[in-house]
Protein backbone atom coordinates (compact mmCIF):
# COMPACT_ATOMS: atom_id res chain seq x y z
CA UNK A 1 0.00 0.00 0.00
CA UNK A 2 2.82 2.28 0.86
CA UNK A 3 4.66 1.59 -2.40
CA UNK A 4 1.49 2.05 -4.44
CA UNK A 5 0.82 5.34 -2.69
CA UNK A 6 4.31 6.54 -3.42
CA UNK A 7 4.00 5.53 -7.04
CA UNK A 8 0.66 7.28 -7.28
CA UNK A 9 2.13 10.44 -5.78
CA UNK A 10 5.15 10.21 -8.10
CA UNK A 11 2.86 9.78 -11.07
CA UNK A 12 0.79 12.78 -10.11
CA UNK A 13 4.00 14.79 -9.55
CA UNK A 14 5.41 13.81 -12.94
CA UNK A 15 2.13 14.71 -14.62
CA UNK A 16 2.16 18.13 -13.05
CA UNK A 17 5.80 18.61 -14.08
CA UNK A 18 5.01 17.67 -17.66
CA UNK A 19 2.09 20.03 -17.76
CA UNK A 20 4.22 22.88 -16.44
CA UNK A 21 7.03 22.31 -18.94
CA UNK A 22 4.68 22.05 -21.90
CA UNK A 23 3.21 25.51 -21.30
CA UNK A 24 5.99 28.12 -21.57
CA UNK A 25 5.39 31.45 -19.95
CA UNK A 26 4.12 34.16 -22.24
CA UNK A 27 5.60 37.63 -22.14
CA UNK A 28 3.42 40.50 -23.22
CA UNK A 29 4.99 43.76 -24.42
CA UNK A 30 2.92 46.87 -24.06
CA UNK A 31 4.02 50.26 -25.35
CA UNK A 32 3.47 52.81 -22.64
CA UNK A 33 3.78 56.54 -22.83
CA UNK A 34 6.00 58.11 -20.19
CA UNK A 35 4.68 60.98 -18.16
CA UNK A 36 8.05 62.67 -18.02
CA UNK A 37 11.65 62.66 -19.24
CA UNK A 38 13.56 59.57 -18.07
CA UNK A 39 16.83 59.85 -20.00
CA UNK A 40 17.44 56.68 -22.02
CA UNK A 41 16.57 58.64 -25.16
CA UNK A 42 20.07 60.10 -24.72
CA UNK A 43 21.72 56.72 -25.41
CA UNK A 44 22.49 57.53 -29.09
CA UNK A 45 24.31 60.66 -27.96
CA UNK A 46 26.36 58.60 -25.50
CA UNK A 47 27.29 56.14 -28.24
CA UNK A 48 28.10 59.03 -30.56
CA UNK A 49 30.43 60.71 -28.05
CA UNK A 50 32.18 57.45 -27.26
CA UNK A 51 32.63 56.62 -30.95
CA UNK A 52 34.02 60.07 -31.74
CA UNK A 53 36.44 59.81 -28.86
CA UNK A 54 37.63 56.37 -29.93
CA UNK A 55 37.82 57.22 -33.64
CA UNK A 56 36.99 55.12 -36.65
CA UNK A 57 38.93 52.63 -38.77
CA UNK A 58 38.47 51.77 -42.42
CA UNK A 59 40.57 49.64 -44.77
CA UNK A 60 40.24 50.18 -48.50
CA UNK A 61 41.89 47.94 -51.09
CA UNK A 62 42.57 49.18 -54.61
CA UNK A 63 43.13 46.59 -57.37
CA UNK A 64 43.62 47.17 -61.06
CA UNK A 65 46.12 47.38 -63.87
CA UNK A 66 48.72 50.13 -63.97
CA UNK A 67 47.65 53.42 -65.53
CA UNK A 68 43.93 53.38 -64.69
CA UNK A 69 44.12 56.38 -62.32
CA UNK A 70 43.87 54.55 -58.98
CA UNK A 71 46.17 56.91 -57.04
CA UNK A 72 44.57 60.01 -58.54
CA UNK A 73 41.07 58.78 -57.64
CA UNK A 74 42.04 58.08 -54.01
CA UNK A 75 43.52 61.56 -53.68
CA UNK A 76 40.33 63.03 -55.18
CA UNK A 77 38.08 61.02 -52.83
CA UNK A 78 39.73 62.20 -49.63
CA UNK A 79 40.85 65.65 -50.91
CA UNK A 80 44.36 64.95 -49.71
CA UNK A 81 47.72 63.94 -51.19
CA UNK A 82 47.59 60.42 -49.82
CA UNK A 83 49.52 59.08 -52.78
CA UNK A 84 52.48 61.27 -53.62
CA UNK A 85 53.75 61.63 -57.18
CA UNK A 86 55.38 58.34 -58.08
CA UNK A 87 58.04 57.59 -60.64
CA UNK A 88 56.54 55.22 -63.12
CA UNK A 89 58.61 52.19 -64.16
CA UNK A 90 60.42 52.14 -67.47
CA UNK A 91 58.33 50.75 -70.29
CA UNK A 92 59.09 47.17 -71.14
CA UNK A 93 60.04 46.21 -67.57
CA UNK A 94 56.75 45.26 -65.81
CA UNK A 95 56.64 43.75 -62.34
CA UNK A 96 56.94 39.97 -62.51
CA UNK A 97 54.98 39.38 -59.31
CA UNK A 98 52.08 41.08 -57.57
CA UNK A 99 53.03 42.95 -54.41
CA UNK A 100 50.66 43.96 -51.63
CA UNK A 101 51.58 47.29 -50.03
CA UNK A 102 49.57 49.02 -47.32
CA UNK A 103 49.89 52.54 -46.01
CA UNK A 104 48.02 54.16 -43.11
CA UNK A 105 46.99 57.80 -42.88
CA UNK A 106 45.11 59.60 -40.11
CA UNK A 107 42.46 62.05 -41.31
CA UNK A 108 40.52 64.51 -39.15
CA UNK A 109 37.33 66.26 -40.23
CA UNK A 110 35.02 68.20 -37.93
CA UNK A 111 36.57 66.66 -34.82
CA UNK A 112 36.08 63.10 -36.14
CA UNK A 113 39.30 61.10 -36.68
CA UNK A 114 39.55 58.34 -39.26
CA UNK A 115 42.37 55.82 -39.48
CA UNK A 116 42.40 55.03 -43.19
CA UNK A 117 44.45 52.06 -44.37
CA UNK A 118 44.98 51.86 -48.12
CA UNK A 119 46.06 48.55 -49.60
CA UNK A 120 47.63 48.81 -53.06
CA UNK A 121 48.53 45.93 -55.37
CA UNK A 122 51.22 47.13 -57.83
CA UNK A 123 51.99 44.67 -60.58
CA UNK A 124 48.47 43.24 -60.87
CA UNK A 125 47.70 42.36 -64.49
CA UNK A 126 51.00 43.79 -65.80
CA UNK A 127 52.79 40.49 -66.45
CA UNK A 128 52.55 38.47 -69.64
CA UNK A 129 51.37 35.40 -67.71
CA UNK A 130 48.80 36.46 -65.08
CA UNK A 131 47.94 32.96 -63.89
CA UNK A 132 46.93 33.07 -60.22
CA UNK A 133 48.13 36.66 -59.86
CA UNK A 134 45.30 37.14 -57.35
CA UNK A 135 46.83 34.62 -54.91
CA UNK A 136 48.93 37.20 -52.93
CA UNK A 137 45.82 39.39 -52.57
CA UNK A 138 43.70 36.46 -51.34
CA UNK A 139 46.42 35.42 -48.89
CA UNK A 140 46.63 38.99 -47.56
CA UNK A 141 42.85 39.15 -46.89
CA UNK A 142 42.88 35.73 -45.19
CA UNK A 143 45.89 36.72 -43.07
CA UNK A 144 44.01 39.76 -41.73
CA UNK A 145 41.00 37.59 -40.88
CA UNK A 146 43.36 35.16 -39.15
CA UNK A 147 44.97 37.97 -37.14
CA UNK A 148 41.57 39.21 -35.99
CA UNK A 149 40.45 35.69 -35.08
CA UNK A 150 43.60 35.12 -33.00
CA UNK A 151 43.19 38.52 -31.31
CA UNK A 152 39.63 37.61 -30.27
CA UNK A 153 41.00 34.59 -28.43
CA UNK A 154 43.28 36.69 -26.19
CA UNK A 155 42.44 37.50 -22.60
CA UNK A 156 42.40 41.25 -23.20
CA UNK A 157 40.18 41.93 -26.20
CA UNK A 158 39.75 45.66 -25.65
CA UNK A 159 42.80 46.46 -27.78
CA UNK A 160 41.80 44.42 -30.83
CA UNK A 161 42.81 46.32 -33.99
CA UNK A 162 40.57 45.84 -37.00
CA UNK A 163 42.83 45.57 -40.06
CA UNK A 164 40.36 43.53 -42.09
CA UNK A 165 39.74 44.73 -45.64
CA UNK A 166 36.30 46.35 -45.66
CA UNK A 167 36.03 47.25 -49.33
CA UNK A 168 37.83 46.46 -52.58
CA UNK A 169 37.66 48.90 -55.47
CA UNK A 170 38.30 46.82 -58.58
CA UNK A 171 39.26 48.98 -61.57
CA UNK A 172 38.13 47.79 -64.98
CA UNK A 173 39.80 48.98 -68.17
CA UNK A 174 37.50 50.83 -70.59
CA UNK A 175 36.53 48.64 -73.52
CA UNK A 176 33.69 46.35 -74.57
CA UNK A 177 33.41 44.01 -71.57
CA UNK A 178 35.19 42.16 -68.80
CA UNK A 179 38.45 40.35 -69.46
CA UNK A 180 38.96 36.75 -68.30
CA UNK A 181 41.29 38.05 -65.60
CA UNK A 182 38.56 40.37 -64.26
CA UNK A 183 36.04 37.54 -64.05
CA UNK A 184 38.43 35.11 -62.38
CA UNK A 185 39.64 37.69 -59.84
CA UNK A 186 36.12 38.60 -58.72
CA UNK A 187 35.14 34.92 -58.54
CA UNK A 188 38.07 34.20 -56.24
CA UNK A 189 37.45 37.15 -53.89
CA UNK A 190 33.69 37.84 -53.92
CA UNK A 191 33.18 35.71 -50.77
CA UNK A 192 36.09 37.33 -48.95
CA UNK A 193 35.58 41.07 -49.43
CA UNK A 194 33.02 43.64 -50.57
CA UNK A 195 33.80 44.20 -54.25
CA UNK A 196 32.79 47.50 -55.87
CA UNK A 197 33.54 47.53 -59.63
CA UNK A 198 34.87 50.81 -61.00
CA UNK A 199 35.55 51.83 -64.61
CA UNK A 200 38.79 53.81 -64.65
CA UNK A 201 39.41 56.76 -66.96
CA UNK A 202 35.79 56.97 -68.02
CA UNK A 203 36.51 60.22 -69.88
CA UNK A 204 37.87 58.07 -72.74
CA UNK A 205 34.32 56.84 -73.43
CA UNK A 206 31.40 58.69 -74.96
CA UNK A 207 28.14 58.72 -72.92
CA UNK A 208 26.59 56.12 -75.23
CA UNK A 209 29.68 53.87 -75.03
CA UNK A 210 29.72 54.22 -71.24
CA UNK A 211 26.08 53.14 -70.88
CA UNK A 212 26.61 50.16 -73.18
CA UNK A 213 29.83 49.16 -71.43
CA UNK A 214 28.13 49.29 -68.00
CA UNK A 215 25.33 47.06 -69.22
CA UNK A 216 27.81 44.53 -70.66
CA UNK A 217 29.81 44.45 -67.40
CA UNK A 218 26.75 43.90 -65.20
CA UNK A 219 25.43 41.23 -67.57
CA UNK A 220 28.73 39.31 -67.39
CA UNK A 221 28.80 39.67 -63.59
CA UNK A 222 25.32 38.16 -63.31
CA UNK A 223 26.06 35.39 -65.81
CA UNK A 224 29.15 34.33 -63.84
CA UNK A 225 27.34 34.44 -60.45
CA UNK A 226 29.72 37.05 -59.04
CA UNK A 227 28.57 38.64 -55.79
CA UNK A 228 29.34 42.34 -55.63
CA UNK A 229 28.35 44.74 -52.87
CA UNK A 230 24.58 45.16 -52.59
CA UNK A 231 23.12 48.37 -51.19
CA UNK A 232 21.03 47.69 -48.06
CA UNK A 233 17.39 48.64 -47.82
CA UNK A 234 15.66 49.00 -44.43
CA UNK A 235 13.03 51.15 -42.81
CA UNK A 236 15.43 54.06 -42.47
CA UNK A 237 16.65 53.99 -46.08
CA UNK A 238 14.62 54.85 -49.10
CA UNK A 239 14.30 51.98 -51.54
CA UNK A 240 14.39 54.28 -54.54
CA UNK A 241 17.71 55.79 -53.44
CA UNK A 242 19.26 52.33 -53.03
CA UNK A 243 17.95 51.28 -56.43
CA UNK A 244 19.40 54.44 -58.01
CA UNK A 245 22.82 53.71 -56.53
CA UNK A 246 22.60 50.07 -57.60
CA UNK A 247 21.74 51.18 -61.13
CA UNK A 248 24.95 53.22 -61.34
CA UNK A 249 27.15 50.11 -60.96
CA UNK A 250 29.86 49.84 -62.14
CA UNK A 251 30.85 53.40 -61.28
CA UNK A 252 32.43 55.22 -64.24
CA UNK A 253 34.83 57.67 -62.61
CA UNK A 254 37.31 60.36 -63.54
CA UNK A 255 40.03 61.43 -61.11
CA UNK A 256 41.92 64.71 -61.04
CA UNK A 257 44.04 66.62 -58.54
CA UNK A 258 43.98 69.84 -60.60
CA UNK A 259 41.76 72.76 -59.63
CA UNK A 260 40.50 74.67 -62.66
CA UNK A 261 39.21 78.23 -62.66
CA UNK A 262 36.17 78.37 -64.97
CA UNK A 263 34.43 81.74 -65.06
CA UNK A 264 35.60 82.52 -61.51
CA UNK A 265 34.42 79.15 -60.20
CA UNK A 266 36.91 76.67 -58.76
CA UNK A 267 36.29 73.06 -59.74
CA UNK A 268 38.22 69.83 -59.95
CA UNK A 269 38.50 68.35 -63.42
CA UNK A 270 40.47 67.68 -66.57
CA UNK A 271 40.78 70.12 -69.46
CA UNK A 272 40.78 68.87 -73.04
CA UNK A 273 40.69 70.67 -76.39
CA UNK A 274 37.06 69.63 -76.79
CA UNK A 275 35.96 70.71 -73.29
CA UNK A 276 36.26 70.04 -69.56
CA UNK A 277 35.53 66.78 -67.72
CA UNK A 278 34.34 67.78 -64.26
CA UNK A 279 35.04 65.26 -61.52
CA UNK A 280 32.12 66.27 -59.28
CA UNK A 281 29.55 66.64 -62.04
CA UNK A 282 27.07 63.69 -62.11
CA UNK A 283 26.50 64.31 -65.83
CA UNK A 284 30.19 63.68 -66.56
CA UNK A 285 31.03 60.73 -64.27
CA UNK A 286 29.88 58.77 -61.20
CA UNK A 287 32.48 60.17 -58.80
CA UNK A 288 29.80 61.67 -56.52
CA UNK A 289 28.00 58.33 -56.18
CA UNK A 290 31.22 56.48 -55.39
CA UNK A 291 32.23 59.06 -52.78
CA UNK A 292 28.82 58.90 -51.13
CA UNK A 293 29.01 55.11 -51.05
CA UNK A 294 32.47 54.89 -49.51
CA UNK A 295 32.47 57.84 -47.15
CA UNK A 296 29.16 59.55 -46.53
CA UNK A 297 26.43 56.92 -46.49
CA UNK A 298 27.64 53.30 -46.55
CA UNK A 299 31.04 53.17 -44.84
CA UNK A 300 29.57 51.68 -41.67
CA UNK A 301 27.48 49.21 -43.66
CA UNK A 302 30.60 48.02 -45.49
CA UNK A 303 32.21 47.39 -42.09
CA UNK A 304 29.09 45.62 -40.80
CA UNK A 305 28.88 43.32 -43.83
CA UNK A 306 32.57 42.51 -43.45
CA UNK A 307 32.17 41.71 -39.75
CA UNK A 308 28.76 40.00 -39.72
CA UNK A 309 28.84 38.10 -43.01
CA UNK A 310 32.27 37.72 -44.60
CA UNK A 311 34.30 37.36 -41.42
CA UNK A 312 31.70 35.10 -39.81
CA UNK A 313 31.83 32.78 -42.83
CA UNK A 314 35.61 32.63 -42.55
CA UNK A 315 35.42 32.06 -38.80
CA UNK A 316 32.82 29.27 -39.10
CA UNK A 317 34.79 27.49 -41.81
CA UNK A 318 37.97 27.77 -39.78
CA UNK A 319 36.43 26.51 -36.54
CA UNK A 320 34.41 23.80 -38.33
CA UNK A 321 37.58 22.41 -39.86
CA UNK A 322 39.27 22.26 -36.45
CA UNK A 323 36.28 20.72 -34.62
CA UNK A 324 35.67 18.14 -37.35
CA UNK A 325 39.23 16.88 -37.06
CA UNK A 326 39.06 16.75 -33.26
CA UNK A 327 35.64 15.02 -33.29
CA UNK A 328 36.83 12.41 -35.77
CA UNK A 329 39.85 11.63 -33.62
CA UNK A 330 37.69 11.44 -30.46
CA UNK A 331 35.14 9.12 -32.07
CA UNK A 332 37.85 6.85 -33.41
CA UNK A 333 39.59 6.69 -30.03
CA UNK A 334 36.37 5.98 -28.12
CA UNK A 335 35.74 2.79 -30.10
CA UNK A 336 39.07 1.22 -29.09
CA UNK A 337 40.25 -0.38 -25.84
CA UNK A 338 42.91 1.47 -23.81
CA UNK A 339 45.80 -0.89 -24.71
CA UNK A 340 45.10 -0.63 -28.41
CA UNK A 341 44.75 3.15 -28.13
CA UNK A 342 48.06 3.31 -26.26
CA UNK A 343 49.78 1.29 -28.96
CA UNK A 344 48.32 3.49 -31.68
CA UNK A 345 49.42 6.67 -29.89
CA UNK A 346 52.85 5.14 -29.36
CA UNK A 347 53.16 4.33 -33.05
CA UNK A 348 51.98 7.81 -33.97
CA UNK A 349 54.52 9.32 -31.58
CA UNK A 350 57.30 7.19 -33.02
CA UNK A 351 56.18 8.11 -36.52
CA UNK A 352 56.26 11.80 -35.62
CA UNK A 353 59.75 11.39 -34.16
CA UNK A 354 60.83 9.55 -37.27
CA UNK A 355 59.44 12.27 -39.50
CA UNK A 356 61.06 14.96 -37.36
CA UNK A 357 64.39 13.11 -37.53
CA UNK A 358 64.06 12.68 -41.28
CA UNK A 359 63.15 16.33 -41.65
CA UNK A 360 66.10 17.45 -39.54
CA UNK A 361 68.45 15.15 -41.46
CA UNK A 362 67.09 16.51 -44.71
CA UNK A 363 67.55 20.08 -43.55
CA UNK A 364 71.07 19.26 -42.32
CA UNK A 365 71.89 17.56 -45.61
CA UNK A 366 70.61 20.53 -47.57
CA UNK A 367 72.65 22.90 -45.42
CA UNK A 368 75.78 20.73 -45.90
CA UNK A 369 75.17 20.64 -49.65
CA UNK A 370 74.67 24.38 -49.69
CA UNK A 371 77.87 24.90 -47.69
CA UNK A 372 79.81 22.52 -49.94
CA UNK A 373 78.50 24.23 -53.05
CA UNK A 374 79.54 27.60 -51.62
CA UNK A 375 82.99 26.25 -50.77
CA UNK A 376 83.28 24.77 -54.26
CA UNK A 377 82.29 28.10 -55.77
CA UNK A 378 84.86 29.89 -53.61
CA UNK A 379 87.50 27.32 -54.58
CA UNK A 380 86.74 27.76 -58.28
CA UNK A 381 86.77 31.50 -57.84
CA UNK A 382 90.16 31.41 -56.09
CA UNK A 383 91.51 29.05 -58.75
CA UNK A 384 90.33 31.38 -61.47
CA UNK A 385 91.90 34.36 -59.70
CA UNK A 386 95.18 32.41 -59.31
CA UNK A 387 95.21 31.52 -63.00
CA UNK A 388 94.49 35.12 -63.93
CA UNK A 389 97.32 36.28 -61.64
CA UNK A 390 99.75 33.80 -63.25
CA UNK A 391 98.74 34.94 -66.71
CA UNK A 392 99.22 38.54 -65.69
CA UNK A 393 102.63 37.73 -64.22
CA UNK A 394 103.73 35.96 -67.42
CA UNK A 395 102.54 38.90 -69.44
CA UNK A 396 104.51 41.30 -67.25
CA UNK A 397 107.62 39.10 -67.55
CA UNK A 398 107.33 39.13 -71.33
CA UNK A 399 106.88 42.88 -71.37
CA UNK A 400 109.92 43.36 -69.11
CA UNK A 401 112.01 41.04 -71.29
CA UNK A 402 110.92 42.92 -74.41
CA UNK A 403 111.81 46.24 -72.80
CA UNK A 404 115.17 44.81 -71.68
CA UNK A 405 115.94 43.64 -75.23
CA UNK A 406 114.90 46.99 -76.60
CA UNK A 407 117.12 48.75 -74.07
CA UNK A 408 120.10 46.58 -75.00
CA UNK A 409 119.61 47.31 -78.69
CA UNK A 410 119.34 51.02 -77.97
CA UNK A 411 122.53 50.91 -75.85
CA UNK A 412 124.40 49.05 -78.61
CA UNK A 413 123.28 51.56 -81.21
CA UNK A 414 124.34 54.40 -78.95
CA UNK A 415 127.82 52.91 -78.46
CA UNK A 416 128.26 52.44 -82.22
CA UNK A 417 127.20 56.00 -82.81
CA UNK A 418 129.65 57.21 -80.18
CA UNK A 419 132.56 55.28 -81.74
CA UNK A 420 131.83 56.64 -85.20
CA UNK A 421 131.61 60.20 -83.90
CA UNK A 422 135.05 59.84 -82.13
CA UNK A 423 136.94 58.86 -85.40
CA UNK A 424 135.51 61.85 -87.22
CA UNK A 425 136.67 64.22 -84.49
CA UNK A 426 140.26 62.87 -84.61
CA UNK A 427 140.45 63.23 -88.40
CA UNK A 428 139.25 66.81 -88.27
CA UNK A 429 141.80 67.66 -85.56
CA UNK A 430 144.75 66.31 -87.58
CA UNK A 431 143.65 68.22 -90.68
CA UNK A 432 143.36 71.38 -88.64
CA UNK A 433 146.87 70.96 -87.23
CA UNK A 434 148.38 70.44 -90.69
CA UNK A 435 146.71 73.60 -91.93
CA UNK A 436 148.13 75.53 -89.00
CA UNK A 437 151.62 74.22 -89.76
CA UNK A 438 151.39 75.28 -93.40
CA UNK A 439 150.29 78.80 -92.43
CA UNK A 440 153.11 79.20 -89.90
CA UNK A 441 155.71 78.02 -92.45
CA UNK A 442 154.47 80.52 -95.01
CA UNK A 443 154.77 83.31 -92.43
CA UNK A 444 158.37 82.46 -91.62
CA UNK A 445 159.31 82.40 -95.30
CA UNK A 446 157.80 85.82 -95.88
CA UNK A 447 159.66 87.33 -92.97
CA UNK A 448 162.97 85.94 -94.22
CA UNK A 449 162.44 87.60 -97.60
CA UNK A 450 161.89 90.96 -95.98
CA UNK A 451 165.08 90.88 -94.12
Amino acid sequence: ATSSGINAEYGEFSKTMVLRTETPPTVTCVDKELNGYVGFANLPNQVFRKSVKRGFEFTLMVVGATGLGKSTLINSLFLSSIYEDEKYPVAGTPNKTVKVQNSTVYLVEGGVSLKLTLVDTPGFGDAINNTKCWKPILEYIDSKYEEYLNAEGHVNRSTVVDNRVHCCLYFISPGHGLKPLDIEFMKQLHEKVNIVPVIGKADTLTPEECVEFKANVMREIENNDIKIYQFPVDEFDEEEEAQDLQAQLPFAVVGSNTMLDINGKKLRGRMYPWGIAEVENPDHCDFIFLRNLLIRTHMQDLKDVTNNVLYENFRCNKLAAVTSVSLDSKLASSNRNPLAQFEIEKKEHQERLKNMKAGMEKVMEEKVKEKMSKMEEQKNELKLKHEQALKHLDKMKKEIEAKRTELREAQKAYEELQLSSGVTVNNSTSSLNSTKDKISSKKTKSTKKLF
Side-chain angles (χ1 to χ4, degrees), residues 57-59 104 106 115 117 144-149 151-152 154 156-164 166:
E57 300 170 342
F58 190 74
T59 301
T104 303
Y106 292 89
K115 178 187 175 184
T117 302
K144 296 305 174 184
Y145 282 151
E146 190 75 31
E147 289 178 5
Y148 194 84
L149 180 61
E152 282 188 329
H154 295 167
N156 184 12
R157 296 189 298 175
S158 59
T159 59
V160 176
V161 180
D162 186 8
N163 290 324
R164 297 169 295 181
H166 302 117

Side-chain angles (χ1 to χ4, degrees), residues 81-122:
S81 299
I82 297 174
Y83 282 109
E84 301 295 338
D85 295 336
E86 299 177 354
K87 295 183 179 179
Y88 292 95
V90 181
T93 58
N95 295 325
K96 295 182 180 179
T97 57
V98 179
K99 298 179 181 178
V100 180
Q101 301 174 350
N102 57 349
S103 58
T104 303
V105 293
Y106 292 89
L107 306 176
V108 180
E109 181 186 24
V112 179
S113 61
L114 173 66
K115 178 187 175 184
L116 177 65
T117 302
L118 295 172
V119 183
D120 198 2
T121 56

Side-chain angles (χ1 to χ4, degrees), residues 429-448:
T429 304
S430 59
S431 62
L432 181 61
N433 291 334
S434 62
T435 305
K436 285 182 178 180
D437 292 339
K438 288 179 181 180
I439 292 172
S440 61
S441 64
K442 285 181 181 181
K443 285 184 179 181
T444 53
K445 287 181 180 181
S446 61
T447 51
K448 285 181 180 181

Side-chain angles (χ1 to χ4, degrees), residues 253-308:
V253 296
V254 177
S256 176
N257 298 326
T258 306
M259 297 298 296
L260 303 177
D261 189 357
I262 307 300
N263 298 326
K265 183 180 179 181
K266 297 285 185 179
L267 54 89
R268 194 181 298 268
R270 291 181 176 271
M271 182 175 290
Y272 296 98
W274 45 263
I276 298 172
E278 299 179 16
V279 173
E280 298 182 355
N281 190 340
D283 296 331
H284 294 181
C285 68
D286 300 330
F287 176 82
I288 294 291
F289 301 105
L290 178 61
R291 185 177 64 185
N292 291 341
L293 163 69
L294 290 178
I295 304 173
R296 298 185 179 180
T297 58
H298 291 79
M299 178 181 283
Q300 187 59 43
D301 185 70
L302 288 166
K303 296 178 66 175
D304 292 341
V305 172
T306 301
N307 183 68
N308 301 332

Side-chain angles (χ1 to χ4, degrees), residues 31-273:
D31 295 334
K32 291 186 177 181
E33 294 292 336
L34 301 178
N35 296 326
Y37 175 75
V38 177
F40 58 82
N42 198 35
L43 282 174
N45 296 331
Q46 298 177 26
V47 175
F48 172 76
R49 288 196 298 269
K50 191 173 182 180
S51 300
V52 170
K53 184 178 180 181
R54 185 172 57 247
F56 299 90
E57 300 170 342
F58 190 74
T59 301
L60 178 65
M61 176 177 279
V62 182
V63 183
T66 304
L68 290 178
K70 300 187 294 295
S71 303
T72 305
L73 179 65
I74 295 301
N75 292 339
S76 302
L77 282 172
F78 295 95
L79 300 178
S80 177
S81 299
I82 297 174
Y83 282 109
E84 301 295 338
D85 295 336
E86 299 177 354
K87 295 183 179 179
Y88 292 95
V90 181
T93 58
N95 295 325
K96 295 182 180 179
T97 57
V98 179
K99 298 179 181 178
V100 180
Q101 301 174 350
N102 57 349
S103 58
T104 303
V105 293
Y106 292 89
L107 306 176
V108 180
E109 181 186 24
V112 179
S113 61
L114 173 66
K115 178 187 175 184
L116 177 65
T117 302
L118 295 172
V119 183
D120 198 2
T121 56
F124 179 83
D126 296 341
I128 297 175
N129 184 8
N130 292 310
T131 305
K132 294 185 179 181
C133 63
W134 57 83
K135 189 175 180 181
I137 303 173
L138 185 62
E139 291 176 351
Y140 178 85
I141 295 173
D142 285 341
S143 67
K144 296 305 174 184
Y145 282 151
E146 190 75 31
E147 289 178 5
Y148 194 84
L149 180 61
N150 295 333
E152 282 188 329
H154 295 167
V155 177
N156 184 12
R157 296 189 298 175
S158 59
T159 59
V160 176
V161 180
D162 186 8
N163 290 324
R164 297 169 295 181
V165 180
H166 302 117
C167 181
C168 174
L169 293 182
Y170 185 71
F171 280 73
I172 303 170
S173 302
H176 300 286
L178 293 176
K179 300 177 181 177
L181 177 61
D182 302 331
I183 297 173
E184 193 61 31
F185 172 83
M186 288 191 281
K187 275 187 175 181
Q188 293 291 331
L189 271 76
H190 67 149
E191 293 183 352
K192 300 286 185 178
V193 67
N194 295 308
I195 297 178
V196 177
V198 175
I199 302 173
K201 292 191 173 181
D203 49 346
T204 59
L205 300 172
T206 63
E208 294 79 11
E209 292 174 345
C210 187
V211 172
E212 183 180 358
F213 183 54
K214 281 186 174 185
N216 293 337
V217 169
M218 293 304 297
R219 189 183 307 111
E220 292 183 11
I221 288 176
E222 292 177 1
N223 294 337
N224 290 278
D225 295 329
I226 298 173
K227 302 173 185 176
I228 59 176
Y229 176 71
Q230 299 293 325
F231 294 91
V233 178
D234 53 24
E235 64 270 19
F236 299 104
D237 296 330
E238 295 182 1
E239 186 176 356
E240 294 181 358
E241 182 180 356
Q243 290 177 354
D244 292 341
L245 288 174
Q246 196 74 30
Q248 297 296 331
L249 290 174
F251 296 111
V253 296
V254 177
S256 176
N257 298 326
T258 306
M259 297 298 296
L260 303 177
D261 189 357
I262 307 300
N263 298 326
K265 183 180 179 181
K266 297 285 185 179
L267 54 89
R268 194 181 298 268
R270 291 181 176 271
M271 182 175 290
Y272 296 98

